Amino acid sequence: MLEFYEPQADYGTPKSTSTNMVTLSIDGVEVTVPEGTSVMRAAAESGVKIPRLCATDQLKSFGSCRVCLVEIEGRRGFPVSCTTNVEAGMEVKTQSDEIGKLRRNVMELYISDHPLDCLTCPTNGDCELQDTAGELGLRSVRYGFEGENHLVAEKDESNPYFTFDPSKCIVCSRCVRACEEVQGTFALTIDGRGFESKVSASQAEDFMDSECVSCGACVNACPTATLTEKSIIEAGKPEHSVTTTCAYCGVGCSFKAEMKGSQVVRMTPYKDGKANEGHACVKGRFAFGYATHKDRITVPMIRDSIDDPWREVSWEEAVTYTAKRFKAIQAQYGRTSIGAISSSRCTNEEVYLVQKMVRAGFGNNNVDTCARVCHSPTGFGLKTTLGESAGTQTFASVADADVVIVMGANPTEAHPVFGSRLKRRLREGAKLIVIDPRKIELVSSPHITADYHLPVRPGTNVTLLNALAHVVVNEGLEAREYIADRCDVAEFEKWVAFIGDERHSPENTETITGVSAADLRAAARLYATGGNGAIFYGLGVTEHSQGSTAVMGIANLAMLTGNIGRDGVGVNPLRGQNNVQGSCDMGSFPHELPGYRHISDKATRDLFEGEWGVTLDSEPGLRIPNMFDAALDGEFKGLYCQGEDIAQSDPNTQHVEAALRSIECLVVQDIFLNETAKFAHVFLPGASFLEKDGTFTNAERRISRVRKVMPPLSGKADWEGTMALANALGCKMEYSHPSDIMDEIARLTPTFNGVSYDRLEQLGSIQWPCNDSTPEGTPIMHVDQFVRGKGFFAMTEYVATTERANRKFPLLLTTGRILSQYNVGAQTRRTDNSEWHGEDLIEIHPHDAEERGINHGDWVGINSRVGDTVLRADVTDRVKPGVVYTTFHHPVSGANVITTDNSDWATNCPEYKVTAVQLSKVTQPSNWQARQKSFDKQQQGLLKDARH
Amino acid sequence: MTFYIPQDTTALALGADAVASALQSVGIEPVRSGSRGMFWLEPLLEVETNKGRIGFGPVTAKDIPSIVDALESDPARHTLYQGEVADIPYFKSQQRLTYSRAGLGDPVCLDNYQALNGFKGLNNALKMTGQQIVDQVKDSGLRGRGGAAFPAGIKWQTVHDAGKDGCQKYIVCNADEGDSGTFADRLVMEADPYQLIEGMIVAGLAVGATQGYIYLRSEYPVAHKLLNIAIDRAIAANFLGENIQGSGKTFYLEVRLGAGAYICGEETSLLESLEGKRGMVRAKPPLPAIEGLFGMPTVVNNVLTLAAISTILEQGADSYQNFGMGRSRGTLAIQLAGNIKRGGLIELAFGVTLREVVEDYGQGTYSGRPIRAIQVGGPLGAFLPESQWDTPMDYEAFAAIKAMIGHGGIVVFDDTADMAAQARFAMEFCVVESCGKCTPCRIGSVRGVEVIDRIVANENRDNNLILLHELCDTMEFGSLCAMGGMTPYPVRSALAHFPNDFLLRDAAGAAQGEH
């Protein structure tokens, strides 16, 4: 959807959802709109623009600018059209001499306190004040410019992405209201009153020092140049725009990439994007500079050994070289000695091609994806209980939730746009239960207080979930009819006998989970009886040795209370990466073909064999951890890794590094020389999301288009790279466009039957399943019955992890994410987002810190059973005593040097969230960090040599 | 003999405490009463004698020995003797309903209140349905006394009907009395606080609200103290709280202090402030009656409106609506202030003329010079020249001359007043007190001051006069609330009736033209 640049249409006030229609007349023309619509919006919908400055359809009407006044038959004076709602039979006049004069005179007042530097102003040509002055025919300012004014107010340039120039401010409060209503951070306010009113970040601080989270909602809302992106100040106004999908988290926000030629000058959240509805976060909105960072590698490179310098080669030479080596490896070590890892940051089409190349080209099923290390337990757990491996509701339907459980997720940091949506609902009065070892922002922040925070001891989620279910069952709060109607009753009875046992009672589990029995009982009652209950969970649930059990425990709880299958209720995994859902859907797991169909199923195999013209191996292939083990055993020698940094993201780094060193041909396809690429023999230059067409599927199963806004820097999009490699291997692939690939996916996958690029163009986005029976997709799953038929209550016996605190390792380390950085940080570290988070810190409770003589900011050694690293201390009561916490956004942190090989019993998802550690004050980096530093230096040198 | 000396703010400001001490020093423990509202006599010492309740005023501490002596012989011979207080013409000629108890005794004595017909209205109301109470208020013709004069019964009906069954509703009393020259609310709260409490309870019963707040300006510490004592005693006597007088009805009441912003007397700003936010005006609709405090249906009424409720419920709607003229029913609490000889509170039925008030009651200016202009209705009210003084005090009659009665405050100016300076002051007042939300008020008032300065300095005079008139139109028709919307009233009236004041100044600063 390439368009000439135009600001997105704005109807002035939010859409009314009423189904009662009202007919009125505007300038003599009959208009019919839903009840509750403002006169302004009714006019806009009928094509009549009423001038305005403080109104925007992203915010509740405010009525401050007084430019939108109109005349209404039978009413005194001049009502303002933004705060006046339509009434049947109303006769509105939007233009008259009196109206014109009043509006012009108001505008004259504005301009009497506004610089007249339009021609050199950064928003020249994209300014609502300028446009409105033009529309109103303002020709002079009779007050002159000698009076009181704000023309010399000082500019705040502290934020790396936007400036605040109060001399241009018209005090419409759109920024303040956006911060409150849209983002929910309440960082902005109006300071002073009357003529002294001015926008203020926190307590009259710089934006950078304030509570501002740089989501950009204020910048979006600003009708003048007061809040302006620095990129626009530098580059000027965009000339065209392309709608695309964000490549950061699993919320899948829709953006307008605003362009000058092939240069992105701004990313603006797209109002029609159903996942985000015009909102964004600091990553998607601003952190796109990595795509053209100088570290980008744009030419393929090869080398025989990782101690050799890289050699830049043509694409053809690179893929021919790779094919030769892969074939030689297979000839020497067997068919199953090579494999591939697909990327949750790549498109559905690209992921599909990778698994196709493995199954059809490599002749085995050694394909896995990074979902292995994040949401594989979701796949297993939800498939087992409900029948489909996906979240059940839309983000938007959280607006209908009455009680929300957030478990092991930190939406305001990791899924910020969903976090804002959730906060909006919470401010309206929905109840909140947070289950997390840490006091995350949702536990307590402006206008948000969790009704219950259950600070569960890391590793005991299953016990806690069992106790919640126990309370529901033993207090008779279960949804009997729902269960009788929709669930496997025999299995349910067995499960009731299990869960009803006293060993699951809150009182008996209190010592295991560390959660007060009274709070737990109250939370269970609230969820069971508080109306629509929705559960949102994250990696704090899955990344455990009982991750799959916990997911099933969540599904049990939701079924038990009748909270699946309609608006406002559900079970929702918050996906870490932009296309985790999609990469799983596309058959990235070694045991599953696209659409979660087991490779052992002959009918499915037949279908694919027919299409691909090959015979498929019916045995599941290796999972990522198995690949590492097999590599160390000398059985796995070739790996194609696309868009994933396993050396940084997978647990027990030293084990991973050893495995990578033992691989004979490691092919990395990425946009940067990431940690894994330092062990590689072939480097295929990747393409960022801006450089290719395709689709991403977000956490609500929403398939959205990714559109190419600039040519791939390396000449090939990732799908083209994979295709070249497959063809070099003799696995014939002929696609002229990713839409061809999607057509093939649709042909072969029942849940995708109705998906095509044409259809996506028409609908904007599609939530699968989409087929003949649901041609517009499926926003809410399991509506009349569960996908598996009858809902299955799985047994959820708690088996404690072997990773326990003891005298030597008395603390439990858990890990998480921070707002400004994304995953391994490869992208965000190469943007100004690092100004907020330049290093990973270890959070420790003041009590634990004092015992160890650790002060805020001290260097602290962290030892686990498998390794050690050094980070600086953040002494804080966000964590409770006995628990420490860090993030893993910087390679040098070595967070995964400490994490262990423990993994989920069902899916091998690593137990990142529980590592027993000891902390002590140190003065120098760990041995691993020193080695990492010198290895990095060596590899950067080898890269530098190749590039000159 | 019982001695009464007021404890209201005006009397205190004039030395009532010293008088009380002087009494104590001669062994007399006076009752600290409220004021009668005859401020020109304060401190007014009243003594209940076998010859009736007589008054001395204004007294100072040093007058006490002579008064005590006089009381033992012939009180009438004392120079400060005012005779029987109830017979003082200023007082006797009033039609006191709301202020019938004011000054009679200890304002927080519950027995006293009940002995003087207090809580009879509430007892009647407890036997009625909410709708029946609302109907009584409608029938009484009572209109909001805060200034806007909106029919109270219709507002109550809206709140009565609003919201889902059982939803939280609120009664909010606007006691942020900030208009220049006004003190009627304060006098109610300081002289008869139970009356306000009673009115609020009745309002709660009428519309189904269980929580009330009195939003009191912080500049009224005496009222704050007395209200809190009265509320505590009302709770103890089960007039507030759960199961009021065994009726099963609930009403809680709290006082909240403002933070010194005039704009918080505007009802929506008041609600914002009450919610703990900046005092910023909200756009209407939604009306507070539908989405008010914390988004719930809310009655916001002035102190006088709510105080009148107890009278209406006690004496009946008919009795109340027998007072007044036209659509202005009941009595008006006229507050006479400024350059006036006999300032004070005068409660009269609507219909008395302005001239009667300032000449008969006020007895002309304090300075003794001729009256030049009268501003009625606070700082946003028009300046009235003598030609308009025969206008009866009636909402419609005042609106017809582009003036307003507002909260009933009257400020008198003598012939030395510079009306251009007063017009400038009106704009400046708006500069200082504007909440800053809407443009006409926020920027317009600043420009208004500048334009008046230019006119007076004779800079481009004709064009600036046109600009000032257009600015007044912009502010009147464009502003979000009455702050900006009515600031043009005093400005325009000064321009219209005292144009010469806007002429070029001479060296001495006087306008060059005849007065």
Side-chain angles (χ1 to χ4, degrees):
Chain A
M1 280 207 292
L2 184 140
E3 301 163 343
F4 287 115
Y5 173 73
E6 267 298 325
Q8 295 178 50
D10 193 318
Y11 293 87
T13 64
K15 198 177 176 64
S16 163
T17 50
S18 172
T19 49
N20 295 341
M21 301 305 279
V22 171
T23 301
L24 69 160
S25 123
I26 296 177
D27 292 339
V29 178
E30 272 208 356
V31 181
T32 302
V33 292
E35 195 174 19
T37 302
S38 71
V39 168
M40 175 183 283
R41 188 173 178 111
E45 286 182 2
S46 66
V48 174
K49 191 188 166 196
I50 298 175
R52 58 173 183 253
L53 288 168
C54 72
T56 161
D57 57 16
Q58 298 283 288
L59 301 170
K60 280 185 250 164
S61 61
F62 191 59
S64 78
C65 78
R66 318 307 284 178
V67 170
C68 72
L69 36 81
V70 294
E71 287 173 29
I72 297 174
E73 187 61 39
R75 297 216 184 173
R76 268 195 315 145
F78 300 84
V80 290
S81 60
C82 63
T83 57
T84 306
N85 282 354
V86 295
E87 281 173 23
M90 200 180 237
E91 288 176 40
V92 179
K93 216 156 98 178
T94 71
Q95 297 286 353
S96 73
D97 289 348
E98 288 85 353
I99 293 172
K101 191 169 177 183
L102 273 172
R103 288 177 183 164
R104 195 158 48 246
N105 286 351
V106 172
M107 182 54 76
E108 186 181 10
L109 288 171
Y110 273 122
I111 303 304
S112 74
D113 185 24
H114 194 85
L116 292 185
D117 60 351
C118 286
L119 282 180
T120 52
C121 178
T123 58
N124 185 20
D126 194 5
C127 169
E128 293 178 41
L129 186 69
Q130 188 183 48
D131 294 349
T132 310
E135 284 163 27
L136 300 180
L138 181 68
R139 296 292 170 257
S140 67
V141 177
R142 292 168 291 173
Y143 300 105
F145 294 90
E146 309 304 312
E148 266 196 80
N149 62 60
H150 300 88
L151 301 183
V152 293
E154 207 179 322
K155 206 164 160 179
D156 173 1
E157 297 183 305
S158 61
N159 186 290
Y161 295 120
F162 59 85
T163 62
F164 171 62
D165 181 354
S167 74
K168 298 196 163 160
C169 180
I170 59 168
V171 204
C172 62
S173 296
R174 273 163 68 162
C175 53
V176 177
R177 288 143 62 208
C179 193
E180 293 176 2
E181 294 175 31
V182 178
Q183 167 60 24
T185 292
F186 295 81
L188 302 182
T189 187
I190 300 287
D191 194 18
R193 73 176 184 219
F195 198 68
E196 299 308 314
S197 302
K198 54 182 175 289
V199 173
S200 164
S202 292
Q203 305 280 318
E205 290 168 70
D206 278 350
F207 268 74
M208 204 53 188
D209 296 333
S210 74
E211 290 137 323
C212 167
V213 293
S214 206
C215 68
C218 56
V219 184
N220 249 22
C222 182
T224 69
T226 310
L227 288 157
T228 309
E229 296 88 352
K230 287 183 174 171
S231 61
I232 293 291
I233 296 175
E234 279 158 27
K237 190 179 147 184
E239 41 80 15
H240 76 274
S241 72
V242 182
T243 308
T244 191
T245 303
C246 181
Y248 284 116
C249 77
V251 175
C253 297
S254 206
F255 277 90
K256 288 259 187 193
E258 297 182 353
M259 311 292 299
K260 281 173 99 77
S262 61
Q263 181 201 356
V264 180
V265 295
R266 175 164 63 188
M267 296 290 281
T268 313
Y270 184 41
K271 284 165 40 168
D272 289 338
K274 295 194 180 78
N276 58 319
E277 295 177 299
H279 191 36
C281 78
V282 63
K283 295 188 283 283
R285 177 78 160 83
F286 295 117
F288 54 84
Y290 72 86
T292 50
H293 193 272
K294 63 176 173 49
D295 289 353
R296 279 289 300 269
I297 301 176
T298 57
V299 181
M301 304 185 298
I302 58 175
R303 61 182 175 181
D304 291 331
S305 133
I306 67 165
D307 297 319
D308 287 347
W310 285 104
R311 193 156 61 81
E312 289 191 342
V313 296
S314 68
W315 269 102
E316 197 185 335
E317 188 176 346
V319 296
T320 310
Y321 176 85
T322 307
K324 207 174 99 192
R325 289 197 64 174
F326 274 3
K327 284 192 166 162
I329 289 168
Q330 278 188 310
Q332 188 178 345
Y333 300 102
R335 180 172 53 86
T336 58
S337 60
I338 64 171
I341 295 173
S342 70
S343 173
S344 292
R345 282 176 230 180
C346 286
T347 64
N348 285 317
E349 294 76 4
E350 287 164 345
V351 170
Y352 176 85
L353 286 198
V354 170
Q355 63 89 31
K356 177 175 176 178
M357 180 175 74
V358 170
R359 301 188 204 280
F362 294 1
N364 62 39
N365 290 311
N366 289 339
V367 63
D368 206 0
T369 185
C370 62
R372 173 67 54 211
V373 302
C374 66
H375 267 295
S376 52
T378 291
F380 179 86
L382 296 187
K383 181 121 190 167
T384 305
T385 50
L386 312 179
E388 192 58 276
S389 159
T392 70
Q393 72 185 103
T394 59
F395 289 143
S397 85
V398 76
D400 296 314
D402 301 310
V403 181
V404 176
I405 295 182
V406 173
M407 180 168 185
N410 192 354
T412 55
E413 300 280 348
H415 302 89
V417 170
F418 170 71
S420 292
R421 209 189 257 282
L422 172 59
K423 279 180 159 186
R424 198 179 319 159
R425 179 59 188 153
L426 295 172
R427 288 196 303 275
E428 288 170 354
K431 305 287 184 197
L432 174 67
I433 300 164
V434 172
I435 306 173
D436 201 289
R438 282 173 83 232
K439 266 185 222 154
I440 60 169
E441 188 185 321
L442 285 173
V443 171
S444 177
S445 60
H447 299 275
I448 304 287
T449 305
D451 296 89
Y452 299 100
H453 174 215
L454 311 182
V456 63
R457 180 170 295 134
T460 64
N461 285 338
V462 169
T463 310
L464 183 136
L465 287 162
N466 283 346
L468 287 171
H470 175 91
V471 173
V472 176
V473 167
N474 280 31
E475 296 191 5
L477 307 175
E478 73 273 20
R480 286 189 200 95
E481 267 180 48
Y482 181 94
I483 297 163
D485 213 30
R486 304 186 42 156
C487 299
D488 183 330
V489 176
E491 292 296 333
F492 173 67
E493 294 303 337
K494 277 192 241 168
W495 177 81
V496 165
F498 158 77
I499 207 77
D501 191 283
E502 272 307 303
R503 72 181 195 278
H504 298 306
S505 78
E507 291 72 19
N508 287 332
T509 54
E510 201 171 37
T511 52
I512 303 172
T513 60
V515 171
S516 113
D519 277 2
L520 191 136
R521 274 195 187 274
R525 287 174 195 142
L526 175 61
Y527 175 69
T529 62
N532 282 345
I535 304 177
F536 294 87
Y537 71 91
L539 305 185
V541 167
T542 55
E543 289 177 347
H544 286 280
S545 58
Q546 328 79 0
S548 291
T549 318
V551 172
M552 293 191 294
I554 286 173
N556 288 348
L557 199 56
M559 288 190 290
L560 182 65
T561 51
N563 277 319
I564 298 179
R566 58 181 192 278
D567 273 334
V569 305
V571 170
N572 304 279
L574 290 171
R575 307 284 185 165
Q577 304 204 55
N578 50 324
N579 203 32
V580 177
Q581 182 69 52
S583 71
C584 297
D585 301 342
M586 290 298 107
S588 281
F589 288 130
H591 65 292
E592 278 171 344
L593 284 157
Y596 303 101
R597 286 163 296 167
H598 206 276
I599 191 75
S600 63
D601 179 51
K602 184 162 184 317
T604 307
R605 263 199 335 276
D606 284 351
L607 188 67
F608 282 85
E609 286 174 351
E611 177 85 21
W612 295 347
V614 293
T615 305
L616 295 175
D617 187 347
S618 62
E619 285 293 312
L622 296 173
R623 297 169 171 182
I624 292 174
N626 307 138
M627 291 180 189
F628 296 149
D629 293 342
L632 287 167
D633 290 345
E635 291 162 8
F636 188 74
K637 291 288 186 183
L639 175 65
Y640 169 52
C641 180
Q642 184 181 64
E644 225 19 76
D645 195 0
I646 46 182
Q648 189 182 337
S649 66
D650 284 36
N652 194 354
T653 306
Q654 299 183 86
H655 176 77
V656 175
E657 288 176 354
L660 293 177
R661 281 179 192 276
S662 67
I663 285 175
E664 286 182 11
C665 182
L666 174 61
V667 182
V668 167
Q669 188 171 9
D670 206 281
I671 60 176
F672 298 113
L673 189 82
N674 62 19
E675 298 310 300
T676 312
K678 292 169 188 167
F679 297 92
H681 308 92
V682 177
F683 186 92
L684 301 177
S688 77
F689 77 115
L690 297 168
E691 297 157 44
K692 57 197 180 190
D693 283 303
T695 56
F696 289 152
T697 306
N698 77 353
E700 40 167 17
R701 295 167 280 105
R702 186 182 301 286
I703 307 162
S704 302
R705 274 300 311 276
V706 178
R707 291 185 177 86
K708 183 158 92 174
V709 304
M710 59 168 79
L713 301 186
S714 74
K716 280 191 200 303
D718 297 331
W719 61 275
E720 292 171 298
T722 305
M723 197 162 79
L725 178 58
N727 283 326
L729 281 162
C731 170
K732 199 96 178 111
M733 288 190 188
E734 282 177 335
Y735 304 101
S736 61
H737 188 271
S739 63
D740 298 344
I741 307 173
M742 182 52 84
D743 291 343
E744 182 175 317
I745 295 165
R747 272 200 302 282
L748 294 169
T749 314
T751 45
F752 277 69
N753 270 172
V755 180
S756 70
Y757 278 35
D758 285 346
R759 201 78 185 114
L760 283 165
E761 210 67 45
Q762 287 161 14
L763 298 174
S765 62
I766 298 173
Q767 287 173 279
W768 67 258
C770 173
N771 47 38
D772 287 347
S773 56
T774 53
E776 305 214 330
T778 311
I780 306 288
M781 291 203 78
H782 316 289
V783 172
D784 296 318
Q785 60 165 10
F786 288 105
V787 170
R788 86 179 282 283
K790 292 288 183 188
F792 175 72
F793 281 84
M795 294 297 173
T796 52
E797 189 67 73
Y798 173 60
V799 181
T801 173
T802 54
E803 185 67 16
R804 287 179 209 194
N806 60 17
R807 195 174 296 170
K808 197 168 170 212
F809 301 108
L811 302 169
L812 290 179
L813 169 77
T814 187
T815 61
R817 309 284 188 272
I818 200 150
L819 173 67
S820 55
Q821 297 285 358
Y822 174 70
N823 204 278
V824 293
Q827 292 141 288
T828 44
R829 276 186 283 113
R830 292 181 172 91
T831 68
D832 288 328
N833 276 30
S834 287
E835 288 196 25
W836 284 278
H837 185 82
E839 63 178 318
D840 296 312
L841 302 171
I842 181 98
E843 288 185 3
I844 179 169
H845 189 272
H847 177 77
D848 291 329
E850 197 187 330
E851 270 190 353
R852 292 164 177 78
I854 295 169
N855 292 312
H856 198 76
D858 281 351
W859 288 104
V860 174
I862 307 147
N863 297 280
S864 76
R865 291 182 177 94
V866 302
D868 64 299
T869 193
V870 173
L871 295 171
R872 284 204 299 156
D874 178 4
V875 178
T876 169
D877 65 1
R878 269 193 299 275
V879 287
K880 59 180 191 174
V883 176
V884 293
Y885 166 91
T886 192
T887 49
F888 74 114
H889 302 303
H890 294 267
V892 67
S893 303
N896 282 323
V897 176
I898 357 175
T899 53
T900 69
D901 286 330
N902 280 7
S903 69
D904 176 43
W905 61 270
T907 68
N908 280 139
C909 180
E911 192 170 52
Y912 290 106
K913 300 294 180 184
V914 193
T915 310
V917 295
Q918 176 59 297
L919 265 60
S920 57
K921 227 166 130 166
V922 296
T923 51
Q924 58 183 21
S926 73
N927 290 338
W928 177 85
Q929 282 168 316
R931 279 204 309 278
Q932 193 264 355
K933 196 174 166 191
S934 75
F935 181 57
D936 180 62
K937 196 172 162 201
Q938 177 209 4
Q939 290 298 322
Q940 295 295 350
L942 297 174
L943 173 67
K944 211 168 160 191
D945 293 346
R947 299 176 94 180
H948 283 288
Chain B
M1 282 190 291
T2 309
F3 289 69
Y4 298 87
I5 188 79
Q7 58 172 321
D8 91 300
T9 301
T10 307
L12 291 177
L14 292 166
D17 275 348
V19 175
S21 299
L23 286 167
Q24 283 161 342
S25 69
V26 296
I28 298 166
E29 192 57 53
V31 172
R32 299 307 298 267
S33 60
S35 170
R36 302 260 188 174
M38 292 181 283
F39 291 152
W40 48 282
L41 287 176
E42 293 292 358
L44 174 62
L45 174 66
E46 298 186 29
V47 187
E48 186 70 60
T49 66
N50 46 18
K51 293 175 198 147
R53 183 155 164 169
I54 56 175
F56 300 87
V59 300
T60 61
K62 67 178 179 351
D63 298 322
I64 293 305
S66 62
I67 292 175
V68 171
D69 286 349
L71 282 168
E72 283 169 8
S73 50
D74 181 4
R77 282 168 54 189
H78 197 278
T79 49
L80 298 178
Y81 180 68
Q82 299 293 340
E84 280 207 49
V85 177
D87 288 338
I88 298 171
Y90 192 98
F91 184 81
K92 193 177 183 181
S93 60
Q94 294 189 30
Q95 291 152 304
R96 289 211 160 185
L97 301 176
T98 296
Y99 296 90
S100 63
R101 279 175 292 260
L104 288 184
D106 178 357
V108 289
C109 173
L110 201 49
D111 291 340
N112 223 2
Y113 181 65
Q114 286 180 276
L116 295 167
N117 298 324
F119 286 128
K120 283 195 179 158
L122 172 63
N123 287 333
N124 291 337
L126 285 170
K127 295 176 203 127
M128 298 159 76
T129 64
Q131 185 59 55
Q132 285 169 333
I133 302 172
V134 172
D135 289 342
Q136 281 283 302
V137 176
K138 280 188 193 162
D139 292 346
S140 74
L142 177 68
R143 290 164 74 175
R145 295 287 190 258
F150 188 81
I154 293 178
K155 186 184 277 186
W156 285 25
Q157 185 71 59
T158 308
V159 179
H160 176 273
D161 297 344
K164 291 181 198 148
D165 278 350
C167 81
Q168 179 67 54
K169 296 178 184 178
Y170 296 101
I171 308 297
V172 172
C173 171
N174 184 347
D176 192 45
E177 185 175 46
D179 281 352
S180 42
T182 61
F183 43 77
D185 296 346
R186 178 171 60 70
L187 198 60
V188 167
M189 294 183 287
E190 291 179 351
D192 197 12
Y194 290 114
Q195 182 180 206
L196 172 60
I197 294 168
E198 180 177 357
M200 292 186 73
I201 301 167
V202 173
L205 298 175
V207 303
T210 55
Q211 176 70 53
Y213 293 101
I214 298 171
Y215 185 88
L216 180 70
R217 69 188 310 225
S218 58
E219 295 87 341
Y220 281 177
V222 177
H224 188 209
K225 185 182 81 182
L226 294 175
L227 280 170
N228 276 335
I229 294 170
I231 288 171
D232 286 346
R233 292 185 184 178
I235 292 169
N238 189 225
F239 287 105
L240 284 172
E242 284 172 24
N243 195 21
I244 295 168
Q245 304 298 309
S247 65
K249 300 290 171 59
T250 299
F251 192 74
Y252 299 99
L253 182 58
E254 284 173 50
V255 181
R256 292 291 166 90
L257 284 188
Y262 176 74
I263 196 61
C264 289
E266 192 282 333
E267 61 175 355
T268 62
S269 291
L270 185 155
L271 294 175
E272 291 281 302
S273 175
L274 204 49
E275 289 178 8
K277 301 178 189 156
R278 279 168 61 78
M280 290 270 270
V281 177
R282 294 179 188 169
K284 289 189 280 195
L287 295 170
I290 294 172
E291 283 180 41
L293 187 63
F294 302 111
M296 306 313 286
T298 303
V299 169
V300 186
N301 275 151
N302 176 253
V303 173
L304 298 176
T305 317
L306 290 162
I309 295 301
S310 56
T311 307
I312 293 166
L313 267 291
E314 180 213 330
Q315 299 176 12
D318 288 348
S319 157
Y320 189 81
Q321 90 81 55
N322 276 335
F323 293 88
M325 70 172 277
R327 287 173 47 215
S328 307
R329 310 311 308 178
T331 55
L332 174 64
I334 297 163
Q335 301 129 79
L336 195 50
N339 193 342
I340 193 79
K341 203 165 181 179
R342 292 184 165 184
L345 188 286
I346 304 154
E347 183 177 3
L348 287 171
F350 286 94
V352 62
T353 68
L354 195 51
R355 192 185 295 278
E356 287 168 321
V357 172
V358 297
E359 292 181 355
D360 297 352
Y361 287 88
Q363 301 279 300
T365 64
Y366 185 80
S367 62
R369 298 180 68 92
I371 298 175
R372 184 160 189 241
I374 302 173
Q375 189 177 29
V376 183
L380 309 179
F383 293 106
L384 308 184
E386 184 167 3
S387 60
Q388 295 181 329
W389 297 348
D390 295 311
T391 311
M393 301 289 278
D394 163 65
Y395 293 119
E396 279 64 42
F398 265 60
I401 59 164
K402 298 201 166 165
M404 65 158 179
I405 286 177
H407 186 48
I410 294 177
V411 177
V412 176
F413 296 81
D414 74 9
D415 64 347
T416 63
D418 175 349
M419 299 316 288
Q422 289 303 320
R424 186 188 193 278
F425 174 76
M427 283 290 188
E428 203 184 354
F429 184 76
C430 188
V431 171
V432 174
E433 299 295 351
S434 166
C435 78
K437 182 168 172 178
C438 76
T439 319
C441 178
R442 183 181 73 246
I443 306 179
S445 57
V446 171
R447 299 293 170 245
V449 171
E450 292 165 2
V451 172
I452 292 172
D453 284 347
R454 274 183 224 138
I455 291 168
V456 171
N458 208 25
E459 279 177 38
N460 201 0
R461 186 185 161 77
D462 292 347
N463 285 336
N464 274 316
L465 277 170
I466 294 171
L467 184 56
L468 183 57
H469 279 291
E470 280 195 30
L471 175 61
C472 284
D473 287 346
T474 308
M475 289 177 74
E476 178 177 356
F477 297 116
S479 293
L480 179 59
C481 79
M483 173 87 233
M486 297 193 69
T487 291
Y489 279 53
V491 177
R492 283 209 199 95
S493 62
L495 280 168
H497 304 303
F498 309 97
N500 290 344
D501 289 22
F502 291 82
L503 294 178
L504 185 65
R505 301 302 163 112
D506 62 19
Q512 290 181 348
E514 37 179 316
H515 258 178

